[in-house]
Amino acid sequence: MSTTFRRRVLAGVGTLSLALTGGVVGLTGTAQAATVTTPVFENCDAPAPQADGSGNQNYTITVPGQAKAGDVVPITIDPGASPLVPGFSVTTVNTTKITLKVGATTQVVTSPPETVSVVAGTPLDPKAFSGTVKIPDGTEGTTVDIKLDLAVTDADLSGSVFTTTCTPAPRPSATIGSVAVEALPKDPVTTKLTPNSGKAGTAVVVGGANFPAGPVTCSALLAGAATGDTGTGTADATGAATCNITVTKKADALKIDGSVTPYKSFVYLEDQAGVKNPVDIEVLPGPLALGPKDGQPAVAFPSVTINGKAQSVVGVFNAATVQDFRGGTLGWDVTATRTPFLNQTTGHSMAKAQIGIQPSCTVTNPDSPSTCTAGTPGAISETPMKVASQAAGGDELTGGEFAVGGAGMIQLPPFMFADTYQTVVTFSIA
């Protein structure tokens, strides 16, 4: 299923359109942790009128020295002093978004907002901040290297966001941190009960993953205490385990012994005396929808005045709603595409102009069974770019309500026709 809406670029200041004239641009500006400091050479693209810059930035990274594949581990990032030298003094609220290559995966760590007093001539030195990264599956017995892929700083000045993007050269950078991954398998988990309810005497097949090959045992629990019901089974060479148990007394969970919490819930049905009245209710799946379907208000970008230099302008994409009411275990992806920058009346175009997005995705309904993940920052083109996603749940329920948007930046060439240009950015879900 795919639902599409459009963000239109309309004429005038405060929209995604750009009106260009001659002159000056009108912008204002768990295991023991290991700590490593690494200089990374970066090329930084700053919003006008701040000059671009390049040079080394000393990144200090603290991560656990050891972890298991699949673990979510803490990371602390101290970016060090920026290679940019500010040309003016101002107070802003900055958010730093660091894109890392963690092994073969791309992950983003975002700082909390920081109030910063920028002093002309003094490089900005942001505070250290913490987050988490996931050790990729399948890396048992190896060392996972962490590399810098991109550093983005959003500076909020009285409600306008100005974005500085620093790209390491080479990209990604050399290793700035590493984690030794244990050769042992991931923690054993109980994954499924078939059936997951029943009366006394119900035979249940309990499934699990990440167990050593060989015999396994399973047991029933009530309020965390063993009920005395036990069973036996086996785990194959891949770690997949099955165990057979008969529930003879009240229980609220079953587990394969040796697994980590949470265990799988079991609904015990007690016989009650009297006349029985079965009550059936059919729950029908709802839609997967992205809205509003008729489009969003225009995105506000400042006008630009031609000055013979490449320029950047920033704005914020209005958040789109995602509603996943399908009542299953499926995931979804939101992608973005765009049309060229054109003025259809005059025929002028800006073929070299680019528009990028720093995606964001938040849960708007606290009862949502799923979370969502923002995509990697990048340029929007005619090729679909993933801006947000919800992972499939396996045996677990997925769905919920979310808001997808993000900060945007338009990068303009030094020379072009002075005109008003329009592009349409389309978000689609599937």
Side-chain angles (χ1 to χ4, degrees):
M1 174 179 180
S2 178
T3 303
T4 301
F5 72 92
R6 305 194 306 169
R7 302 185 188 277
R8 295 199 61 197
V9 186
L10 304 175
V13 178
T15 71
L16 192 59
S17 288
L18 298 172
L20 302 173
T21 60
V24 182
V25 62
L27 287 179
T28 306
T30 58
Q32 183 175 359
T35 300
V36 178
T37 300
T38 308
V40 178
F41 185 86
E42 296 174 321
N43 295 310
C44 295
D45 179 20
Q50 168 66 46
D52 295 342
S54 59
N56 283 330
Q57 188 164 356
N58 291 326
Y59 281 83
T60 301
I61 305 296
T62 302
V63 289
Q66 191 176 45
K68 291 183 178 181
D71 281 354
V72 175
V73 301
I75 183 171
T76 299
I77 302 173
D78 186 346
S82 170
L84 284 176
V85 178
F88 48 89
S89 298
V90 68
T91 298
T92 60
V93 178
N94 291 2
T95 302
T96 303
K97 301 166 186 175
I98 302 295
T99 302
L100 300 170
K101 289 290 187 181
V102 183
T105 66
T106 300
Q107 303 181 39
V108 179
V109 182
T110 303
S111 75
E114 175 189 359
T115 300
V116 175
S117 295
V118 180
V119 179
T122 302
L124 190 64
D125 191 355
K127 292 180 180 179
F129 60 94
S130 298
T132 59
V133 292
K134 182 179 179 181
I135 305 302
D137 291 331
T139 57
E140 292 87 347
T142 68
T143 296
V144 170
D145 290 330
I146 300 173
K147 302 178 179 182
L148 177 68
D149 189 58
L150 197 67
V152 176
T153 300
D154 291 332
D156 188 322
L157 178 60
S158 301
S160 295
V161 179
F162 300 91
T163 299
T164 298
T165 302
C166 292
T167 306
R171 181 181 183 185
S173 70
T175 299
I176 59 176
S178 60
V179 179
V181 185
E182 294 182 22
L184 298 174
K186 293 181 292 184
D187 288 331
V189 292
T190 303
T191 58
K192 190 174 184 179
L193 306 182
T194 308
N196 63 359
S197 64
K199 300 184 293 186
T202 299
V204 180
V205 177
V206 185
N210 308 325
F211 286 86
V216 296
T217 59
C218 49
S219 54
L221 306 171
L222 179 63
T227 67
D229 288 337
T230 61
T232 59
T234 58
D236 63 21
T238 69
T242 57
C243 188
N244 297 290
I245 185 173
T246 298
V247 177
T248 65
K249 53 184 70 71
K250 188 174 183 179
D252 58 17
L254 303 181
K255 68 170 183 175
I256 297 181
D257 298 328
S259 62
V260 299
T261 55
Y263 307 131
K264 303 305 291 184
S265 296
F266 182 82
V267 179
Y268 184 79
L269 305 176
E270 297 187 75
D271 266 331
Q272 297 179 354
V275 178
K276 294 177 173 55
N277 288 266
V279 177
D280 292 340
I281 180 171
E282 183 179 13
V283 178
L284 301 176
L288 172 64
L290 177 67
K293 66 178 181 179
D294 296 325
Q296 296 278 50
V299 182
F301 280 85
S303 61
V304 171
T305 303
I306 297 169
N307 65 1
K309 298 179 180 179
Q311 301 182 64
S312 299
V313 290
V314 295
V316 178
F317 285 98
N318 302 301
T321 59
V322 173
Q323 295 178 320
D324 183 1
F325 299 150
R326 293 173 293 176
T329 63
L330 298 173
W332 49 258
D333 292 328
V334 172
T335 57
T337 57
R338 75 170 179 92
T339 60
F341 280 98
L342 297 171
N343 185 309
Q344 295 184 353
T345 301
T346 64
H348 296 155
S349 67
M350 293 193 301
K352 295 183 179 179
Q354 294 188 15
I355 181 169
I357 185 172
Q358 171 77 42
S360 65
C361 188
T362 57
V363 177
T364 56
N365 183 338
D367 292 327
S368 300
S370 294
T371 59
C372 62
T373 302
T376 302
I380 303 173
S381 67
E382 68 279 359
T383 301
M385 170 194 176
K386 185 188 294 186
V387 294
S389 61
Q390 169 192 279
D395 292 325
E396 303 298 327
L397 177 67
T398 60
E401 295 183 271
F402 313 89
V404 177
M409 171 183 281
I410 300 175
Q411 296 176 316
L412 300 167
F415 293 97
M416 67 224 88
F417 281 102
D419 208 338
T420 298
Y421 297 85
Q422 178 185 91
T423 184
V424 178
V425 174
T426 300
F427 284 7
S428 302
I429 192 167

